[in-house]
Amino acid sequence: MSRDDVNVVWLGSPTFPKAAHDALQDTQLRRNLKHATTTIRDKRLKAVAELDDWETLREAGSQIKDRVMRHLDEYLLQLEASVTAAGGVVHWAQDAREANAIVSKLVRAKGATEVVKIKSMATQEIGLNEALEDDGIEATETDLAELIVQLNDDRPSHILVPAIHRNRTEIRDIFKREMGKHGIAAPEDLTDEPRALAEAARVHLREKFLRAKVAISGANFACADTGTVGVVESEGNGRMCLTLPETLITVMGLEKVLPSFSDLEVFLQLLPRSSTAERMNPYTSLWTGVTPGDGPQEFHLILLDNGRTKTLADVEGRSALHCIRCSACLNVCPVYERTGGRSYGSVYPGPIGAVLTPQLVGVGTSEHADSLPFASTLCGACYDACPVRIDIPEMLVHLRAKVVDSHRGGVPKPEALAMKGAQVVFGSPRRLAMAERLGAMAGRFVGIRGGRWLPGPARKWTGARDVPVPARESFRTWWRKAGRR
Amino acid sequence: MSGSKDAILARIRSALGDVPRGEQSEDVEVTRAYVDSHATGDVVDLFVERVEDYRATVTRVGESDAPAAIARILGEHGVENLVVPPGLPEELLAAYQGSRLSDDPPLTPAELDASDGVITLAAQGIALTGTIVLDAGPGQGRRALSLVPDLHLCVVRASQVAADVPLAVRTLVPARPTTFISGPSATSDIELDRVEGVHGPRTLAVVLISG
């Protein structure tokens, strides 16, 4: 993974068009993805259809998030006061570097050289595991999918099920090869049955849970009025981390704050049905500061900016911060389904990644990030699926314009030249007629050769698209002929 | 780092230049037109159906039959070493013959791991989602007790069952460490095939006392 000087971890893949091109050649990957996204799409539709007031819940979720964003300073200060009053310690981190340094310092203060981790997008975003490793601290991912990715030194490809690109046989091979290097080895006769694989993970991790002194988590929500923090999960690895160690460090993006504890009644309905398509996920943990005699006796909450205030400043892009990381938009996206999450290069893949990543990084600062708003067909399925009604297609168009604007001046890109050309052609009927005649001739040429690509700079465009063969005669030519009859 | 706090707050305030100066947070409208409950029919029946959907077992008994049912379930799972949280009513274990592990002084994680199971009460149940809610109240113990042992037997009273999530959330006490449990621990991380039993208890048995 490249860390360099950027605030959001890039997963070391080329820009989206190139990565997608390669991913499309991988038939195993496409099979795994198609199976997974189809399965979860169908399940989600059923789970959502059970609630006849789904649209009003979405509306409420969206409005609550809107309220939070418009008064974020107030809610964060209130959250800090509530957490502190309940015995927790709140830290503020402007960027990845600062957040990682705070975590590392806290872990070292406990004299620990290993930590257990709950799956968390925020800590992936800031490259926490790698930063801790540099400081001699081994972080073990305890979510099954994250463990698969970590053991294989692989890259995650989905927000909810990061190993969605791997099938059971690949996972068995990873466990047999890698587990022994980091603790209890997988059994010799491990089969590729999901049950057997989960059991191997249970045994491998249990020993680590029982001796861990420090755990690190993210947060799904934090309630400003009570200081209650919540983590939603399935496996129980989260509960292990939140309950057994003496010290808990939670890294939370600024935007995860909710005004009130009672708002959980909305989000505990929206999130499970949208993410795992269940009525309720197996385990939800809510904790408020420190409880004497129960769970960690030291609790640190790190509030992470890392580009979020930059995102907040763009009125039209702001609602990307409403995201509750359910990943419903990934599962319905035709582009994601075919290219997989790793093509996006960011820890945030899919439609939400295509709007969130460029904003966190800053539009116009990286070729990588700037390619993402174009990784969409604008079909709108993501908007329909989003439990907090983020208008992702609208935002993609907005960000595309920003990307184009950021490249004005200097050497124009081929698209800009093409648009300039179009402006000249469409500006006069005579020029348009001539262009149509040329097009018809070119159409014959393309048709004869059977080729579906264009030469020169236009080749990039046809690398991922077929050129429609132009008609042999234009409408106007036909009209003239038809009029004569 | 108070420097960072000030810097972040300053950035937030400058980012929100479009928000009118006098606007209060409550001025941003939130329409709560959603229903309090989606449950139809008998709430307790629904609770049983939904808990069983998660492949947990539910045993419905009257008050006087509870001790025998509890002893039978524990016996069926070969529990001979049972973790008993403080405040669990003594009569519930009247028919149980095996040994008990008291959490006073607190059991170590290794001791919990070596036990066969745990029995707890619950704070409430949620019918629509088949959820039991623990809040570390009397008879429930601290959170680790219902997590590390491989069998969790949870005693819920019919009167504790809320119809749906909004109604349940409104009765929670935020200051208490709270855990929502919907079925046994599970993962769908491998090809989205659901597997029960990862890190939490692999068996969840609910004893529902009616009346």
Side-chain angles (χ1 to χ4, degrees):
Chain A
M1 294 194 189
S2 77
R3 297 222 305 282
D4 307 335
D5 250 1
V6 294
N7 59 334
V8 175
V9 166
W10 289 102
L11 302 175
S13 53
T15 55
F16 185 84
K18 169 83 177 73
H21 191 267
D22 295 346
L24 287 170
Q25 315 296 319
D26 186 342
T27 50
Q28 177 71 63
L29 174 73
R30 289 184 66 173
R31 244 198 314 275
N32 294 354
L33 281 171
K34 171 125 186 144
H35 167 71
T37 50
T38 314
T39 308
I40 195 149
R41 265 202 311 260
D42 295 347
K43 270 186 71 185
R44 190 192 71 90
L45 284 176
K46 277 188 210 134
V48 165
E50 280 188 8
L51 303 189
D52 50 15
D53 61 343
W54 185 253
E55 290 307 317
T56 52
L57 279 167
R58 285 177 81 203
E59 184 66 30
S62 164
Q63 290 172 332
I64 292 168
K65 287 291 187 178
D66 191 38
R67 178 184 278 188
V68 168
M69 294 318 147
R70 291 174 75 89
H71 297 275
L72 190 58
D73 51 341
E74 173 195 331
Y75 287 121
L76 289 173
L77 286 170
Q78 196 189 357
L79 176 68
E80 181 186 43
S82 310
V83 170
T84 309
V89 182
V90 174
H91 309 256
W92 302 68
Q94 298 187 63
D95 53 24
R97 200 189 304 265
E98 214 169 274
N100 290 335
I102 296 170
V103 176
S104 180
K105 196 171 156 207
L106 290 170
V107 174
R108 278 179 290 147
K110 294 280 117 193
T113 54
E114 49 179 20
V115 296
V116 284
K117 270 192 73 201
I118 310 179
K119 174 175 159 30
S120 134
M121 296 309 298
T123 59
Q124 271 188 34
E125 171 192 320
I126 61 176
L128 177 65
N129 292 4
E130 294 75 14
L132 289 179
E133 195 182 323
D134 291 347
D135 289 346
I137 299 161
E138 188 186 0
T140 302
E141 292 290 349
T142 62
D143 170 75
L144 180 54
E146 289 285 359
L147 179 71
I148 294 164
V149 169
Q150 188 182 42
L151 283 174
N152 198 36
D153 207 6
D154 197 353
R155 296 175 287 134
S157 67
H158 193 280
I159 289 175
L160 178 73
V161 268
I164 200 169
H165 56 290
R166 297 279 171 219
N167 64 25
R168 59 184 72 192
T169 315
E170 294 172 298
I171 295 167
R172 193 232 6 233
D173 296 344
I174 293 166
F175 278 10
K176 285 186 77 161
R177 195 179 64 233
E178 299 293 334
M179 270 186 173
K181 297 179 194 166
H182 302 275
I184 294 178
E188 269 304 304
D189 56 352
L190 183 65
T191 68
D192 64 3
E193 270 306 300
R195 187 165 297 282
L197 296 170
E199 173 67 20
R202 178 187 174 97
V203 173
H204 179 78
L205 289 175
R206 184 151 282 234
E207 161 219 30
K208 294 180 191 283
F209 287 134
L210 297 185
R211 68 160 192 253
K213 297 273 178 268
V214 180
I216 297 170
S217 84
N220 290 103
F221 334 96
C223 311
D225 59 346
T226 60
T228 307
V229 183
V231 163
V232 164
E233 51 131 357
S234 295
E235 296 172 8
N237 64 307
R239 292 179 69 196
M240 289 280 179
C241 293
L242 298 173
T243 309
L244 295 182
E246 294 159 9
T247 301
L248 171 63
I249 304 169
T250 299
V251 182
M252 180 188 110
L254 298 180
E255 79 282 16
K256 291 299 179 74
V257 63
L258 293 178
S260 162
F261 187 85
S262 63
D263 293 320
L264 292 174
E265 69 187 34
V266 174
F267 292 97
L268 288 181
Q269 295 191 77
L270 288 174
L271 181 54
R273 289 179 196 258
S274 301
S275 61
T276 51
E278 291 169 296
R279 293 183 183 120
M280 189 62 90
N281 49 289
Y283 298 133
T284 296
S285 295
L286 305 172
W287 71 96
T288 306
V290 168
T291 308
D294 188 344
Q297 295 302 295
E298 200 176 317
F299 170 52
H300 297 271
L301 179 64
I302 300 174
L303 302 175
L304 174 72
D305 180 348
N306 206 36
R308 285 161 178 77
T309 49
K310 208 160 34 186
T311 310
L312 193 69
D314 182 344
V315 177
E316 287 168 84
R318 180 180 293 165
S319 67
L321 295 175
H322 293 193
C323 174
I324 56 174
R325 310 283 188 263
C326 72
S327 70
C329 63
L330 276 58
N331 303 324
V332 298
C333 177
V335 175
Y336 177 90
E337 180 182 315
R338 286 162 182 82
T339 63
R342 293 181 299 176
S343 300
Y344 294 78
S346 159
V347 297
Y348 300 110
I352 187 64
V355 294
L356 189 58
T357 308
Q359 298 201 84
L360 290 177
V361 176
V363 171
T365 61
S366 127
E367 195 190 348
H368 239 128
D370 284 355
S371 74
L372 293 178
F374 297 89
S376 167
T377 64
L378 302 179
C379 76
C382 48
Y383 182 28
D384 289 342
C386 178
V388 289
R389 295 171 49 105
I390 302 173
D391 191 344
I392 296 175
E394 179 89 34
M395 210 180 298
L396 284 166
V397 173
H398 166 69
L399 291 173
R400 286 179 184 187
K402 276 182 86 170
V403 169
V404 171
D405 284 344
S406 74
H407 290 287
R408 288 199 199 283
V411 184
K413 293 199 156 206
E415 299 100 285
L417 286 177
M419 287 300 161
K420 247 320 179 257
Q423 196 181 357
V424 171
V425 170
F426 286 118
S428 119
R430 201 175 48 79
R431 284 197 288 265
L432 180 59
M434 189 187 301
E436 282 170 354
R437 281 198 297 280
L438 284 173
M441 275 164 62
R444 249 162 254 157
F445 174 68
V446 172
I448 291 164
R449 213 186 40 197
R452 282 314 194 81
W453 52 269
L454 294 172
R459 193 172 191 145
K460 262 175 124 174
W461 172 266
T462 55
R465 302 169 184 84
D466 293 333
V467 184
V469 178
R472 277 161 183 266
E473 61 182 14
S474 70
F475 174 77
R476 293 203 291 187
T477 314
W478 173 85
W479 181 255
R480 263 201 313 278
K481 283 191 204 156
R484 260 187 239 127
R485 270 180 225 141
Chain B
M1 282 182 231
S2 73
S4 295
K5 176 180 169 179
D6 294 343
I8 290 170
L9 289 172
R11 281 207 293 266
I12 292 172
R13 284 164 190 153
S14 92
L16 293 172
D18 60 306
V19 177
R21 202 166 269 275
E23 182 183 292
Q24 302 293 308
S25 48
E26 302 78 43
D27 296 343
V28 184
E29 196 191 323
V30 176
T31 316
R32 298 185 190 268
Y34 51 85
V35 301
D36 291 344
S37 168
H38 299 88
T40 50
D42 184 82
V43 167
V44 178
D45 287 345
L46 181 65
F47 176 71
V48 173
E49 177 203 312
R50 293 289 159 91
V51 172
E52 286 178 339
D53 258 10
Y54 283 118
R55 286 176 239 181
T57 62
V58 183
T59 309
R60 292 182 82 159
V61 292
E63 184 82 55
S64 56
D65 297 329
I70 289 167
R72 182 176 50 73
I73 295 166
L74 293 173
E76 281 166 9
H77 289 93
V79 175
E80 289 172 0
N81 211 2
L82 180 70
V83 176
V84 181
L88 190 96
E90 188 53 38
E91 58 273 19
L92 290 178
L93 290 176
Y96 168 69
Q97 301 292 322
S99 63
R100 303 174 185 196
L101 286 168
S102 156
D103 194 40
D104 183 20
L107 297 159
T108 64
E111 285 169 328
L112 286 172
D113 193 34
S115 76
D116 299 324
V118 61
I119 181 170
T120 73
L121 302 183
Q124 55 178 320
I126 308 175
L128 194 91
T129 55
T131 303
I132 52 175
V133 182
L134 303 190
D135 71 357
Q140 301 173 44
R142 60 197 170 98
R143 287 171 285 172
L145 300 195
S146 56
L147 172 64
V148 181
D150 207 12
L151 173 131
H152 179 196
L153 192 157
C154 187
V155 180
V156 183
R157 293 182 174 275
S159 59
Q160 290 182 300
V161 178
D164 202 349
V165 174
L167 297 173
V169 167
R170 287 169 208 169
T171 64
L172 294 177
V173 183
R176 292 177 174 275
T178 301
T179 309
F180 285 50
I181 299 173
S182 306
S185 148
T187 184
S188 299
D189 279 348
I190 302 165
E191 297 182 19
L192 292 177
D193 256 15
R194 190 179 169 94
V195 175
E196 267 95 19
V198 196
H199 303 294
R202 283 180 281 198
T203 306
L204 175 66
V206 173
V207 170
L208 181 68
I209 302 179
S210 47

